[in-house]
Amino acid sequence: MVLINKIKHRQKDGGHHKKKECTYSIICQDGTRFLQIDTYSSEEKRLIGKESQTIRFTPKGVDRLRQILDKYSTTTGCIC
């Protein structure tokens, strides 16, 4: 698992990725809420709750993710 506190921009070329569903949870720990996103390598793992990758965002990380989403969600076309 990784705990995301800071997000920086890095330009990369696009690639082809398989589309998968993921799950999210709100984790409360020591009075702080975290956004957790879990991915699964297969449907079988998802059904038994065996995550392949877990990404947890601190409140600061969530704020930065929100800024990024707000900036690019209303843009049409690819920003290159």
Side-chain angles (χ1 to χ4, degrees):
M1 176 179 62
V2 296
L3 182 62
I4 306 295
N5 189 46
K6 192 173 188 178
I7 303 173
K8 293 182 178 182
H9 179 261
R10 177 178 152 207
Q11 187 65 37
K12 292 183 79 171
D13 292 334
H16 297 286
H17 299 279
K18 291 182 181 180
K19 292 182 180 181
K20 297 277 188 173
E21 289 187 12
C22 67
T23 59
Y24 78 92
S25 305
I26 303 300
I27 308 295
C28 295
Q29 185 176 0
D30 299 326
T32 302
R33 288 190 307 197
F34 299 88
L35 168 64
Q36 180 168 308
I37 298 174
D38 298 312
T39 64
Y40 307 88
S41 61
S42 68
E43 180 65 14
E44 293 79 23
K45 281 192 173 185
R46 187 187 68 78
L47 291 173
I48 63 171
K50 178 69 175 152
E51 299 89 0
S52 295
Q53 186 173 27
T54 297
I55 303 169
R56 188 177 288 182
F57 292 87
T58 65
K60 184 177 176 181
V62 169
D63 288 341
R64 179 64 179 132
L65 181 60
R66 184 179 295 116
Q67 290 172 352
I68 294 165
L69 294 173
D70 286 345
K71 181 176 181 177
Y72 293 106
S73 64
T74 58
T75 305
T76 57
C78 182
I79 301 169
C80 299

